[in-house]
Amino acid sequence: MAALKIAFEAPDNFGGSCSSTSRPIDFVHLATQTMGDKLLEIEVLQMFARQARQLMKDLSSDSADARLSTAHRLRGAALAVGAFGVAETAAAVEAAPEDAGNLAALGAAVLEAELFILKLCR
């Protein structure tokens, strides 16, 4: 397995402080879920990013009922890793699965989380 660089501040912060809740991923929650295992955290985040990307593809072609179910799955996955922004926007899609604005907001939240995860794993 290749060595992973684990950075707990987004590179765009240039060393500034950033509370856990203002990041796309809540590291405190994630550490609790993984019992502080840093390698497991990276593995879980990478799996979440892949799953979120696939679920977003599913959302683009599903009926309203299927979008509700897909958004619910994405919300659960996001809550598990501490991607609370993704979870919140997925809940909005669950509430109104035909609202294009909610789908766009969810896409943006997933992209933000995925880019953040990619920065951590470089």
Side-chain angles (χ1 to χ4, degrees):
M1 178 176 189
L4 297 174
K5 176 183 173 188
I6 302 174
F8 287 101
E9 298 211 16
D12 295 337
N13 286 341
F14 301 110
S17 66
C18 182
S19 73
S20 183
T21 57
S22 67
R23 296 180 182 133
I25 304 295
D26 182 331
F27 288 126
V28 173
H29 178 81
L30 182 61
T32 300
Q33 295 296 91
T34 61
M35 295 178 284
D37 184 329
K38 300 303 180 199
L39 291 177
L40 180 58
E41 287 177 12
I42 293 297
E43 184 177 338
V44 165
L45 287 173
Q46 290 173 332
M47 285 189 316
F48 168 73
R50 284 190 302 271
Q51 180 183 23
R53 188 177 322 116
Q54 182 58 52
L55 291 172
M56 287 305 301
K57 287 179 189 176
D58 294 346
L59 280 172
S60 68
S61 62
D62 287 343
S63 68
D65 288 339
R67 275 195 297 271
L68 188 148
S69 175
T70 301
H72 181 76
R73 289 177 34 218
L74 181 53
R75 183 172 152 253
L79 288 172
V81 300
F84 297 127
V86 172
E88 184 178 315
T89 54
V93 172
E94 282 184 274
E98 294 183 3
D99 185 320
N102 288 343
L103 290 170
L106 181 55
V110 166
L111 181 60
E112 178 185 26
E114 186 175 5
L115 291 173
F116 189 80
I117 291 166
L118 287 171
K119 288 178 183 179
L120 290 174
C121 299
R122 64 182 174 119

